[in-house]
Amino acid sequence: MRELRIHGRGGQGSVTAAELIACAAFEGGVFSQAFPAFGVERRGAPVQAFVRFSDRKIRLRSQIYDPDYIIVQDPTLIRDVDVFKGIKQGGIAIINTEKTASDFRVPEGVTVYTIDATTIALEELGVPITNTTLMGAFAAATGEIGLEPLKGALRNRFSGSMAEKNARAAERAYKQVGGAA
Amino acid sequence: MLEIMEGSHAVAEIVKRCRPQVIAAYPITPQTHIVEALAQMVADCELDADYITVESEFSALSACLGASAAGSRVYSATTSQGLALMFEVCFNVAGLRQPVVMTIANRSLGAPLSIWNDQQDSISLRDSGWLQLYAEDNQEAVDLHMIAYRVCEDHDVLLPAFVCFDGYVLTHTYEPVSIPTQEEVDAYLPAFNPYQRLDANNPLSFGMYATPDYYMEFRYEIDQAQHRAKEVFAKAGREFAEQFERDYSAPVEGYRLEDADTAILAMGSICGTVKDAIDEMRDAGKKVGLLKIRMFRPFPADEIADALKGVSTVAVLDRNISLGSGGAVGTEVKAALSGSGTAVYDYIVALGGRDIRKKDIAGIVDLAEEGRGDMFYGLRTEVL
């Protein structure tokens, strides 16, 4: 079983990202489970959402403490939250930032992919909501989900031009991280 | 066919296919997504039901009671403080023998205010006459709704039921589920055939006085119907298994219990985490198993005693507390096993959304085997 923990702030769509990643993974042929850690919901507060991937039915219901993967939607979180806490040796972190991986104090054995998802989201969607862009980066960095199932999940959730804009944002990030990976 | 969706939406989909004619509900987290989805289905003409919007949970269940007495299949859903506000009506629904099915998205009760999961809400209505079923995962939550309607509407039962599934932990979780088609549900669940109903041409009175000469007999009849519900549930579960190849006919279900020295007893979504913890303990050579309680009312005391023959130690996980006494499940399990020589220890765990992990389950097994129990597990040390 592999586990993903998404760190974001309320309003950035972390829960939606977890759900859509689980949907794309399921379409790709594995069992998946997505769930939020609901806090006292308010915009801007740190939030977490979780995804599990497994070849067998998933029974475990506890939160995720030792993730294989993390996604950080907002680099300012790193000041307040130990986003790397518990991440496994060989784990993969995807961070939305203009900076490079060497600018972060990363646990040994963890691979970091940085991507300026905010700029991509602003260009493609017109709003700085980075969840769908980071899903593309996650797909390329980890191989847990494919680009086509991801686009399918986006088209199921959003309609019309909104679906296509989000799919384009995800694909740009997928190609950018795929080039770096 | 498996699909992936949120637990609340899975429940709304199966409720739609059960063809309720009247739905009355008041939104409250974490039940909201269920009733939002049903309201949308009614508005979109996907579901031919009257959706009654009300100003409170008291009115929601009162509307269901009246509609059921008039001969309609009805549905509601609530949680926590909402269920508390229904307290009086719950006793009336059972006393008037109306087969209302209501989803409980289990949540703790205030104060202090907590929106998170435990099972205090439904457990606190244990004496109300409603059947109580608890789901381990979203598939079981879906399936138990179909079975609940069958059991409740059976003329040997005629009682209401709570189908309980853990708030957030199941309601807000996306996972694969198989939703039976409308044709499959129709084949399993026939139209509601009321035993008697309000009818202007054949007037009856519901909710009359019972003087001291008769009140006890009404209570006896409800109790008898509760006990009959066990056999009706087993039959409905067997027929469900024949049609859908998922078997819920037993009120309790063992996991790796055959040669176990120590058994954990649990109810609801925590059972999944317990099963994973048991696999790890088994790999380490510990003879541990789980007895999952699917049906809390009627209470399967004989089935529990039977399943735990040969077990020397039992650890009950209670996600509720009868303050001043102990966990509700543990208290009844102790009564069921009295005289058996089995040591039963109760642990109050995971109240108000406190997370519980595999290592906690292993820790509780260690405590039980050391003979330490009847305690809260996992408290912050500053209160000790």
Side-chain angles (χ1 to χ4, degrees):
Chain A
M1 184 151 66
R2 287 87 58 204
E3 297 180 316
L4 161 66
R5 189 172 67 208
I6 302 174
H7 293 273
R9 293 188 182 277
Q12 291 182 328
S14 300
V15 175
T16 302
E19 292 168 359
L20 295 182
I21 286 171
C23 291
F26 177 74
E27 293 306 325
V30 300
F31 286 93
S32 57
Q33 175 200 61
F35 60 104
F38 266 97
V40 179
E41 296 105 323
R42 59 211 149 108
R43 283 192 175 263
V47 298
Q48 294 180 20
F50 308 104
V51 188
R52 290 193 168 98
F53 312 88
S54 176
D55 301 328
R56 299 191 315 176
K57 182 181 168 180
I58 298 166
R59 303 183 299 199
L60 189 63
R61 300 285 174 191
S62 53
Q63 296 184 6
I64 290 174
Y65 298 89
D66 311 304
D68 298 271
Y69 315 118
I70 61 167
I71 294 174
V72 183
Q73 292 226 60
D74 185 333
T76 65
L77 276 170
I78 296 174
R79 289 198 309 256
D80 308 329
V81 179
D82 182 4
V83 296
F84 295 108
K85 192 172 182 184
I87 190 168
K88 287 198 182 88
Q89 275 280 327
I92 296 173
I94 295 123
I95 303 175
N96 171 26
T97 178
E98 299 165 333
K99 296 179 185 170
T100 61
S102 57
D103 291 324
F104 297 95
R105 202 177 303 157
V106 179
E108 217 171 306
V110 173
T111 306
V112 174
Y113 293 93
T114 61
I115 180 161
D116 184 2
T118 304
T119 296
I120 294 176
L122 280 170
E123 288 176 5
E124 298 294 343
L125 313 175
V127 289
I129 296 179
T130 57
N131 57 347
T132 53
T133 305
L134 288 164
M135 288 166 61
F138 174 78
T142 68
E144 285 290 349
I145 54 174
L147 182 61
E148 287 312 312
L150 170 52
K151 285 181 178 173
L154 290 168
R155 288 181 183 123
N156 278 339
R157 176 62 67 99
F158 304 108
S159 54
S161 65
M162 189 55 79
E164 294 316 311
K165 286 176 183 173
N166 279 287
R168 263 206 314 277
E171 184 160 3
R172 260 182 74 179
Y174 182 87
K175 286 183 173 157
Q176 190 175 319
V177 169
Chain B
M1 187 192 71
L2 283 177
E3 306 166 71
I4 186 162
M5 66 176 78
E6 193 191 65
S8 293
H9 288 151
V11 164
E13 286 293 335
I14 198 64
V15 168
K16 177 177 85 171
R17 288 161 174 77
C18 289
R19 299 188 187 274
Q21 293 155 293
V22 175
I23 299 169
Y26 191 81
I28 174 172
T29 195
Q31 154 265 37
T32 317
H33 291 182
I34 303 170
V35 297
E36 274 178 356
L38 285 166
Q40 188 73 50
M41 290 167 185
V42 172
D44 292 344
C45 300
E46 285 175 34
L47 169 57
D48 182 18
D50 285 318
Y51 190 105
I52 306 174
T53 51
V54 287
E55 87 297 348
S56 74
E57 285 86 357
F58 184 95
S59 294
L61 192 56
S62 296
C64 287
L65 172 57
S68 180
S72 302
R73 178 174 287 163
V74 304
Y75 173 78
S76 191
T78 193
T79 179
S80 183
Q81 318 297 133
L83 182 59
L85 193 52
M86 290 178 176
F87 184 96
E88 176 186 340
V89 194
C90 282
F91 279 72
N92 279 326
V93 172
L96 292 174
R97 307 297 297 274
Q98 297 304 317
V100 175
V101 172
M102 180 155 70
T103 308
I104 307 298
N106 283 113
R107 170 184 146 181
S108 53
L109 276 163
L113 178 61
S114 162
I115 59 168
W116 292 276
N117 165 238
D118 62 34
Q119 295 166 343
Q120 190 70 55
D121 48 3
S122 49
I123 289 286
S124 297
L125 268 293
R126 64 186 175 174
D127 301 335
S128 64
W130 289 58
L131 311 179
Q132 292 200 16
L133 306 172
Y134 289 80
E136 174 184 337
D137 55 26
N138 285 331
Q139 186 67 63
E140 188 168 12
V142 164
D143 295 339
L144 287 177
H145 281 83
M146 296 169 63
I147 296 172
Y149 274 112
R150 273 280 293 267
V151 174
C152 292
E153 293 174 0
D154 190 294
H155 290 186
D156 283 338
V157 178
L158 293 174
L159 286 174
F162 295 154
V163 179
C164 304
F165 77 138
D166 285 317
Y168 294 116
V169 181
L170 293 179
T171 58
H172 285 58
T173 288
Y174 271 64
E175 64 184 17
V177 289
S178 172
I179 308 287
T181 64
Q182 185 65 65
E183 292 70 29
E184 288 170 333
V185 177
D186 288 343
Y188 179 76
L189 180 64
F192 178 34
N193 170 30
Y195 178 71
Q196 52 184 188
R197 63 187 178 90
L198 291 171
D199 178 358
N201 297 319
N202 180 25
L204 293 169
S205 291
F206 284 61
M208 305 294 288
Y209 257 103
T211 63
D213 288 336
Y214 285 100
Y215 179 84
M216 274 183 74
E217 283 69 22
F218 280 93
R219 303 300 283 171
Y220 171 77
E221 293 279 6
I222 299 169
D223 190 54
Q224 289 292 300
Q226 276 270 340
H227 289 293
R228 285 196 301 272
K230 215 184 277 182
E231 186 44 47
V232 175
F233 180 85
K235 183 168 178 285
R238 284 194 299 271
E239 289 177 22
F240 187 93
E242 280 169 26
Q243 191 180 337
F244 298 101
E245 296 178 345
R246 296 187 292 273
D247 192 348
Y248 305 101
S249 58
V252 294
E253 192 174 281
Y255 179 78
R256 305 193 77 170
L257 203 53
E258 294 73 23
D259 62 340
D261 296 326
T262 300
I264 298 163
L265 249 78
M267 211 159 70
S269 66
I270 198 173
C271 290
T273 302
V274 171
K275 286 176 180 174
D276 275 14
I278 283 173
D279 285 356
E280 289 184 1
M281 286 185 272
R282 284 276 181 177
D283 288 346
K286 259 179 161 352
K287 288 187 173 178
V288 186
L290 164 72
L291 188 65
K292 159 176 146 178
I293 299 181
R294 172 176 290 127
M295 175 191 279
F296 182 65
R297 282 291 178 276
F299 190 71
D302 294 343
E303 290 83 353
I304 289 171
D306 199 44
L308 295 177
K309 273 182 191 152
V311 169
S312 55
T313 307
V314 173
V316 183
L317 308 183
D318 259 305
R319 304 190 73 182
N320 69 84
I321 169 76
S322 180
L323 298 165
S325 177
V329 182
T331 303
E332 299 200 24
V333 170
K334 285 177 184 177
L337 296 182
S338 70
S340 68
T342 308
V344 184
Y345 301 104
D346 194 22
Y347 301 88
I348 308 299
V349 300
L351 301 186
R354 179 77 51 91
D355 201 22
I356 189 150
R357 304 171 63 179
K358 287 185 286 186
K359 67 178 186 184
D360 298 316
I361 307 300
I364 287 168
V365 167
D366 287 342
L367 285 170
E369 289 178 349
E370 291 163 17
R372 293 162 62 205
D374 297 337
M375 59 197 281
F376 281 67
Y377 175 86
L379 288 175
R380 305 178 77 90
T381 52
E382 59 260 36
V383 300
L384 300 176

Short mmCIF file of all heavy atoms in Angstrom, two decimals, chain B residues 323-376:
data_model
loop_
_atom_site.label_atom_id
_atom_site.label_comp_id
_atom_site.label_asym_id
_atom_site.label_seq_id
_atom_site.Cartn_x
_atom_site.Cartn_y
_atom_site.Cartn_z
N LEU B 323 -21.82 7.72 30.86
CA LEU B 323 -21.06 8.42 31.91
C LEU B 323 -21.50 7.95 33.29
O LEU B 323 -22.69 7.89 33.59
CB LEU B 323 -21.23 9.93 31.75
CG LEU B 323 -20.69 10.46 30.41
CD1 LEU B 323 -21.19 11.87 30.13
CD2 LEU B 323 -19.16 10.43 30.40
N GLY B 324 -20.53 7.61 34.09
CA GLY B 324 -20.82 7.09 35.42
C GLY B 324 -20.95 5.58 35.46
O GLY B 324 -21.11 4.99 36.53
N SER B 325 -20.88 4.94 34.28
CA SER B 325 -20.94 3.48 34.24
C SER B 325 -19.79 2.94 33.41
O SER B 325 -18.70 2.68 33.93
CB SER B 325 -22.30 3.03 33.67
OG SER B 325 -22.35 1.63 33.56
N GLY B 326 -19.95 2.81 32.12
CA GLY B 326 -18.89 2.30 31.25
C GLY B 326 -19.36 2.39 29.82
O GLY B 326 -20.37 3.02 29.52
N GLY B 327 -18.64 1.74 28.91
CA GLY B 327 -19.05 1.71 27.52
C GLY B 327 -20.30 0.86 27.37
O GLY B 327 -20.47 -0.16 28.03
N ALA B 328 -21.20 1.29 26.49
CA ALA B 328 -22.49 0.59 26.35
C ALA B 328 -22.30 -0.82 25.82
O ALA B 328 -22.97 -1.75 26.27
CB ALA B 328 -23.41 1.39 25.41
N VAL B 329 -21.39 -0.99 24.85
CA VAL B 329 -21.20 -2.32 24.27
C VAL B 329 -20.55 -3.23 25.31
O VAL B 329 -20.99 -4.36 25.53
CB VAL B 329 -20.36 -2.25 22.98
CG1 VAL B 329 -20.21 -3.64 22.37
CG2 VAL B 329 -21.00 -1.30 21.97
N GLY B 330 -19.51 -2.72 25.95
CA GLY B 330 -18.80 -3.52 26.95
C GLY B 330 -19.71 -4.01 28.06
O GLY B 330 -19.64 -5.17 28.48
N THR B 331 -20.58 -3.13 28.53
CA THR B 331 -21.50 -3.51 29.61
C THR B 331 -22.37 -4.69 29.20
O THR B 331 -22.56 -5.64 29.97
CB THR B 331 -22.40 -2.30 29.96
OG1 THR B 331 -21.54 -1.20 30.31
CG2 THR B 331 -23.33 -2.61 31.11
N GLU B 332 -22.87 -4.65 27.95
CA GLU B 332 -23.77 -5.71 27.51
C GLU B 332 -23.00 -6.99 27.18
O GLU B 332 -23.52 -8.10 27.36
CB GLU B 332 -24.60 -5.23 26.32
CG GLU B 332 -25.44 -4.02 26.73
CD GLU B 332 -26.63 -3.75 25.83
OE1 GLU B 332 -27.11 -4.68 25.16
OE2 GLU B 332 -27.08 -2.59 25.82
N VAL B 333 -21.76 -6.84 26.70
CA VAL B 333 -20.95 -8.03 26.42
C VAL B 333 -20.60 -8.73 27.73
O VAL B 333 -20.63 -9.97 27.82
CB VAL B 333 -19.68 -7.65 25.63
CG1 VAL B 333 -18.71 -8.83 25.55
CG2 VAL B 333 -20.05 -7.18 24.22
N LYS B 334 -20.31 -7.96 28.76
CA LYS B 334 -20.04 -8.56 30.07
C LYS B 334 -21.24 -9.36 30.56
O LYS B 334 -21.09 -10.47 31.11
CB LYS B 334 -19.67 -7.48 31.09
CG LYS B 334 -18.26 -6.95 30.89
CD LYS B 334 -17.95 -5.83 31.87
CE LYS B 334 -16.57 -5.28 31.55
NZ LYS B 334 -16.21 -4.15 32.40
N ALA B 335 -22.43 -8.81 30.36
CA ALA B 335 -23.63 -9.54 30.77
C ALA B 335 -23.79 -10.81 29.95
O ALA B 335 -24.13 -11.88 30.49
CB ALA B 335 -24.86 -8.64 30.62
N ALA B 336 -23.50 -10.71 28.64
CA ALA B 336 -23.67 -11.87 27.75
C ALA B 336 -22.70 -12.99 28.13
O ALA B 336 -23.01 -14.16 27.93
CB ALA B 336 -23.46 -11.45 26.30
N LEU B 337 -21.53 -12.63 28.65
CA LEU B 337 -20.50 -13.63 28.94
C LEU B 337 -20.40 -13.95 30.43
O LEU B 337 -19.48 -14.68 30.84
CB LEU B 337 -19.13 -13.14 28.43
CG LEU B 337 -19.00 -12.96 26.91
CD1 LEU B 337 -17.59 -12.54 26.54
CD2 LEU B 337 -19.37 -14.25 26.17
N SER B 338 -21.34 -13.46 31.22
CA SER B 338 -21.23 -13.69 32.67
C SER B 338 -21.32 -15.19 32.95
O SER B 338 -22.12 -15.91 32.35
CB SER B 338 -22.32 -12.93 33.42
OG SER B 338 -23.56 -13.51 33.16
N GLY B 339 -20.47 -15.66 33.82
CA GLY B 339 -20.46 -17.08 34.16
C GLY B 339 -19.64 -17.94 33.22
O GLY B 339 -19.44 -19.13 33.47
N SER B 340 -19.12 -17.34 32.12
CA SER B 340 -18.38 -18.14 31.13
C SER B 340 -16.92 -18.32 31.52
O SER B 340 -16.21 -19.14 30.93
CB SER B 340 -18.45 -17.46 29.76
OG SER B 340 -17.70 -16.25 29.79
N GLY B 341 -16.46 -17.49 32.46
CA GLY B 341 -15.05 -17.54 32.84
C GLY B 341 -14.15 -16.71 31.94
O GLY B 341 -12.94 -16.61 32.17
N THR B 342 -14.71 -16.12 30.89
CA THR B 342 -13.93 -15.28 29.99
C THR B 342 -13.73 -13.91 30.63
O THR B 342 -14.68 -13.33 31.17
CB THR B 342 -14.68 -15.10 28.64
OG1 THR B 342 -15.03 -16.38 28.16
CG2 THR B 342 -13.83 -14.37 27.64
N ALA B 343 -12.49 -13.41 30.57
CA ALA B 343 -12.22 -12.08 31.11
C ALA B 343 -12.59 -11.03 30.07
O ALA B 343 -12.11 -11.10 28.93
CB ALA B 343 -10.74 -11.95 31.47
N VAL B 344 -13.47 -10.09 30.42
CA VAL B 344 -13.90 -9.05 29.48
C VAL B 344 -13.44 -7.69 29.99
O VAL B 344 -13.73 -7.33 31.14
CB VAL B 344 -15.44 -9.04 29.32
CG1 VAL B 344 -15.84 -8.01 28.27
CG2 VAL B 344 -15.96 -10.42 28.94
N TYR B 345 -12.71 -6.96 29.16
CA TYR B 345 -12.23 -5.62 29.52
C TYR B 345 -12.78 -4.63 28.50
O TYR B 345 -12.82 -4.90 27.31
CB TYR B 345 -10.71 -5.58 29.53
CG TYR B 345 -10.11 -6.56 30.51
CD1 TYR B 345 -9.54 -7.74 30.05
CD2 TYR B 345 -10.16 -6.34 31.88
CE1 TYR B 345 -9.00 -8.66 30.93
CE2 TYR B 345 -9.63 -7.25 32.77
CZ TYR B 345 -9.05 -8.41 32.30
OH TYR B 345 -8.54 -9.32 33.18
N ASP B 346 -13.17 -3.48 29.02
CA ASP B 346 -13.78 -2.46 28.17
C ASP B 346 -12.81 -1.29 28.00
O ASP B 346 -12.13 -0.90 28.98
CB ASP B 346 -15.08 -2.00 28.85
CG ASP B 346 -15.96 -1.19 27.92
OD1 ASP B 346 -15.80 -1.33 26.70
OD2 ASP B 346 -16.79 -0.43 28.43
N TYR B 347 -12.74 -0.75 26.80
CA TYR B 347 -11.86 0.39 26.52
C TYR B 347 -12.67 1.46 25.81
O TYR B 347 -13.27 1.20 24.76
CB TYR B 347 -10.67 -0.05 25.63
CG TYR B 347 -9.87 -1.14 26.30
CD1 TYR B 347 -10.22 -2.48 26.12
CD2 TYR B 347 -8.83 -0.84 27.17
CE1 TYR B 347 -9.54 -3.49 26.78
CE2 TYR B 347 -8.14 -1.84 27.84
CZ TYR B 347 -8.50 -3.17 27.64
OH TYR B 347 -7.83 -4.16 28.30
N ILE B 348 -12.68 2.64 26.38
CA ILE B 348 -13.35 3.79 25.76
C ILE B 348 -12.31 4.41 24.83
O ILE B 348 -11.26 4.88 25.27
CB ILE B 348 -13.80 4.83 26.81
CG1 ILE B 348 -14.62 4.15 27.93
CG2 ILE B 348 -14.56 5.97 26.14
CD1 ILE B 348 -15.89 3.49 27.48
N VAL B 349 -12.60 4.40 23.54
CA VAL B 349 -11.60 4.84 22.55
C VAL B 349 -12.22 5.80 21.55
O VAL B 349 -13.43 5.79 21.31
CB VAL B 349 -11.01 3.64 21.76
CG1 VAL B 349 -10.32 2.66 22.68
CG2 VAL B 349 -12.08 2.93 20.93
N ALA B 350 -11.33 6.61 20.94
CA ALA B 350 -11.66 7.36 19.72
C ALA B 350 -12.95 8.16 19.84
O ALA B 350 -13.78 8.16 18.94
CB ALA B 350 -11.73 6.40 18.52
N LEU B 351 -13.13 8.83 20.96
CA LEU B 351 -14.28 9.73 21.10
C LEU B 351 -13.99 11.04 20.38
O LEU B 351 -12.84 11.48 20.30
CB LEU B 351 -14.58 10.02 22.57
CG LEU B 351 -14.89 8.82 23.47
CD1 LEU B 351 -15.31 9.31 24.86
CD2 LEU B 351 -15.97 7.93 22.88
N GLY B 352 -15.04 11.66 19.86
CA GLY B 352 -14.91 13.00 19.29
C GLY B 352 -13.89 13.11 18.18
O GLY B 352 -13.23 14.14 18.03
N GLY B 353 -13.75 12.01 17.38
CA GLY B 353 -12.86 12.07 16.23
C GLY B 353 -11.40 11.77 16.51
O GLY B 353 -10.58 11.86 15.60
N ARG B 354 -11.05 11.42 17.77
CA ARG B 354 -9.66 11.04 18.06
C ARG B 354 -9.26 9.87 17.17
O ARG B 354 -9.98 8.87 17.11
CB ARG B 354 -9.54 10.65 19.54
CG ARG B 354 -8.17 10.21 20.02
CD ARG B 354 -7.20 11.35 20.22
NE ARG B 354 -7.72 12.44 21.03
CZ ARG B 354 -7.58 12.53 22.38
NH1 ARG B 354 -6.96 11.60 23.06
NH2 ARG B 354 -8.07 13.57 23.03
N ASP B 355 -8.14 10.03 16.46
CA ASP B 355 -7.72 8.99 15.52
C ASP B 355 -7.29 7.75 16.28
O ASP B 355 -6.77 7.84 17.40
CB ASP B 355 -6.56 9.51 14.67
CG ASP B 355 -6.41 8.74 13.36
OD1 ASP B 355 -7.39 8.12 12.91
OD2 ASP B 355 -5.31 8.77 12.78
N ILE B 356 -7.51 6.58 15.69
CA ILE B 356 -7.05 5.34 16.29
C ILE B 356 -6.27 4.56 15.24
O ILE B 356 -6.71 4.44 14.10
CB ILE B 356 -8.20 4.52 16.92
CG1 ILE B 356 -7.64 3.35 17.74
CG2 ILE B 356 -9.19 4.03 15.88
CD1 ILE B 356 -8.50 2.95 18.90
N ARG B 357 -5.09 4.06 15.65
CA ARG B 357 -4.15 3.46 14.70
C ARG B 357 -3.93 1.99 15.04
O ARG B 357 -4.30 1.53 16.11
CB ARG B 357 -2.82 4.24 14.76
CG ARG B 357 -3.02 5.72 14.49
CD ARG B 357 -1.76 6.53 14.76
NE ARG B 357 -0.65 6.15 13.88
CZ ARG B 357 0.54 6.72 13.90
NH1 ARG B 357 0.79 7.70 14.76
NH2 ARG B 357 1.50 6.33 13.08
N LYS B 358 -3.26 1.30 14.13
CA LYS B 358 -2.98 -0.12 14.36
C LYS B 358 -2.21 -0.31 15.66
O LYS B 358 -2.46 -1.26 16.40
CB LYS B 358 -2.19 -0.69 13.18
CG LYS B 358 -3.02 -0.88 11.92
CD LYS B 358 -2.21 -1.55 10.82
CE LYS B 358 -1.22 -0.60 10.20
NZ LYS B 358 -0.51 -1.18 9.04
N LYS B 359 -1.26 0.59 15.94
CA LYS B 359 -0.45 0.42 17.15
C LYS B 359 -1.30 0.60 18.42
O LYS B 359 -0.99 0.02 19.46
CB LYS B 359 0.75 1.39 17.15
CG LYS B 359 0.39 2.85 17.26
CD LYS B 359 1.65 3.72 17.30
CE LYS B 359 1.30 5.16 17.56
NZ LYS B 359 2.47 6.05 17.53
N ASP B 360 -2.38 1.38 18.31
CA ASP B 360 -3.29 1.51 19.46
C ASP B 360 -4.01 0.18 19.72
O ASP B 360 -4.22 -0.21 20.87
CB ASP B 360 -4.32 2.61 19.21
CG ASP B 360 -3.68 3.97 19.04
OD1 ASP B 360 -2.77 4.31 19.82
OD2 ASP B 360 -4.08 4.70 18.11
N ILE B 361 -4.42 -0.47 18.63
CA ILE B 361 -5.12 -1.76 18.77
C ILE B 361 -4.17 -2.77 19.44
O ILE B 361 -4.57 -3.50 20.37
CB ILE B 361 -5.58 -2.28 17.39
CG1 ILE B 361 -6.41 -1.23 16.65
CG2 ILE B 361 -6.36 -3.60 17.56
CD1 ILE B 361 -7.66 -0.76 17.33
N ALA B 362 -2.93 -2.78 18.97
CA ALA B 362 -1.94 -3.70 19.57
C ALA B 362 -1.72 -3.37 21.04
O ALA B 362 -1.60 -4.27 21.88
CB ALA B 362 -0.63 -3.62 18.79
N GLY B 363 -1.70 -2.08 21.36
CA GLY B 363 -1.52 -1.65 22.75
C GLY B 363 -2.67 -2.10 23.63
O GLY B 363 -2.48 -2.51 24.79
N ILE B 364 -3.87 -2.05 23.10
CA ILE B 364 -5.06 -2.48 23.86
C ILE B 364 -5.03 -4.00 24.08
O ILE B 364 -5.36 -4.48 25.17
CB ILE B 364 -6.35 -2.02 23.13
CG1 ILE B 364 -6.50 -0.50 23.30
CG2 ILE B 364 -7.58 -2.76 23.65
CD1 ILE B 364 -7.55 0.14 22.42
N VAL B 365 -4.60 -4.74 23.08
CA VAL B 365 -4.48 -6.19 23.24
C VAL B 365 -3.48 -6.50 24.37
O VAL B 365 -3.74 -7.36 25.23
CB VAL B 365 -4.07 -6.87 21.91
CG1 VAL B 365 -3.64 -8.31 22.13
CG2 VAL B 365 -5.22 -6.80 20.92
N ASP B 366 -2.36 -5.77 24.38
CA ASP B 366 -1.37 -5.97 25.45
C ASP B 366 -1.98 -5.69 26.82
O ASP B 366 -1.80 -6.46 27.77
CB ASP B 366 -0.15 -5.07 25.24
CG ASP B 366 0.72 -5.55 24.08
OD1 ASP B 366 0.57 -6.73 23.68
OD2 ASP B 366 1.53 -4.75 23.57
N LEU B 367 -2.72 -4.59 26.93
CA LEU B 367 -3.36 -4.24 28.21
C LEU B 367 -4.33 -5.33 28.65
O LEU B 367 -4.32 -5.75 29.81
CB LEU B 367 -4.13 -2.91 28.08
CG LEU B 367 -3.31 -1.63 28.05
CD1 LEU B 367 -4.22 -0.45 27.67
CD2 LEU B 367 -2.64 -1.36 29.40
N ALA B 368 -5.14 -5.82 27.72
CA ALA B 368 -6.13 -6.85 28.07
C ALA B 368 -5.42 -8.12 28.54
O ALA B 368 -5.86 -8.76 29.50
CB ALA B 368 -7.03 -7.14 26.86
N GLU B 369 -4.34 -8.46 27.86
CA GLU B 369 -3.64 -9.70 28.23
C GLU B 369 -2.92 -9.56 29.58
O GLU B 369 -2.65 -10.55 30.25
CB GLU B 369 -2.69 -10.11 27.10
CG GLU B 369 -3.50 -10.61 25.88
CD GLU B 369 -2.66 -11.00 24.67
OE1 GLU B 369 -1.45 -10.72 24.67
OE2 GLU B 369 -3.24 -11.60 23.74
N GLU B 370 -2.64 -8.29 29.95
CA GLU B 370 -2.08 -8.04 31.29
C GLU B 370 -3.17 -7.90 32.34
O GLU B 370 -2.89 -7.68 33.52
CB GLU B 370 -1.26 -6.73 31.29
CG GLU B 370 0.03 -6.80 30.49
CD GLU B 370 0.57 -5.40 30.18
OE1 GLU B 370 0.12 -4.42 30.84
OE2 GLU B 370 1.39 -5.29 29.26
N GLY B 371 -4.44 -7.97 31.92
CA GLY B 371 -5.55 -7.85 32.86
C GLY B 371 -5.87 -6.42 33.25
O GLY B 371 -6.50 -6.18 34.28
N ARG B 372 -5.46 -5.46 32.41
CA ARG B 372 -5.75 -4.05 32.71
C ARG B 372 -6.78 -3.53 31.71
O ARG B 372 -6.52 -3.56 30.50
CB ARG B 372 -4.47 -3.22 32.63
CG ARG B 372 -3.47 -3.57 33.74
CD ARG B 372 -2.08 -3.07 33.42
NE ARG B 372 -2.03 -1.63 33.30
CZ ARG B 372 -1.11 -0.98 32.58
NH1 ARG B 372 -0.19 -1.65 31.90
NH2 ARG B 372 -1.10 0.34 32.54
N GLY B 373 -7.90 -3.11 32.23
CA GLY B 373 -8.94 -2.62 31.32
C GLY B 373 -9.97 -1.80 32.05
O GLY B 373 -9.70 -1.25 33.12
N ASP B 374 -11.18 -1.70 31.47
CA ASP B 374 -12.26 -0.85 31.99
C ASP B 374 -11.72 0.56 32.21
O ASP B 374 -11.69 1.09 33.33
CB ASP B 374 -12.83 -1.44 33.28
CG ASP B 374 -13.46 -2.81 33.02
OD1 ASP B 374 -13.83 -3.09 31.85
OD2 ASP B 374 -13.55 -3.62 33.95
N MET B 375 -11.27 1.14 31.12
CA MET B 375 -10.58 2.42 31.20
C MET B 375 -10.73 3.18 29.88
O MET B 375 -11.09 2.60 28.87
CB MET B 375 -9.08 2.16 31.44
CG MET B 375 -8.45 1.31 30.33
SD MET B 375 -6.85 0.57 30.76
CE MET B 375 -5.80 1.98 30.53
N PHE B 376 -10.47 4.48 29.93
CA PHE B 376 -10.30 5.27 28.72
C PHE B 376 -8.91 4.94 28.17
O PHE B 376 -7.95 4.88 28.94
CB PHE B 376 -10.36 6.77 29.02
CG PHE B 376 -11.75 7.32 29.20
CD1 PHE B 376 -12.54 6.95 30.28
CD2 PHE B 376 -12.27 8.25 28.31
CE1 PHE B 376 -13.81 7.47 30.47
CE2 PHE B 376 -13.55 8.79 28.47
CZ PHE B 376 -14.32 8.39 29.55
#
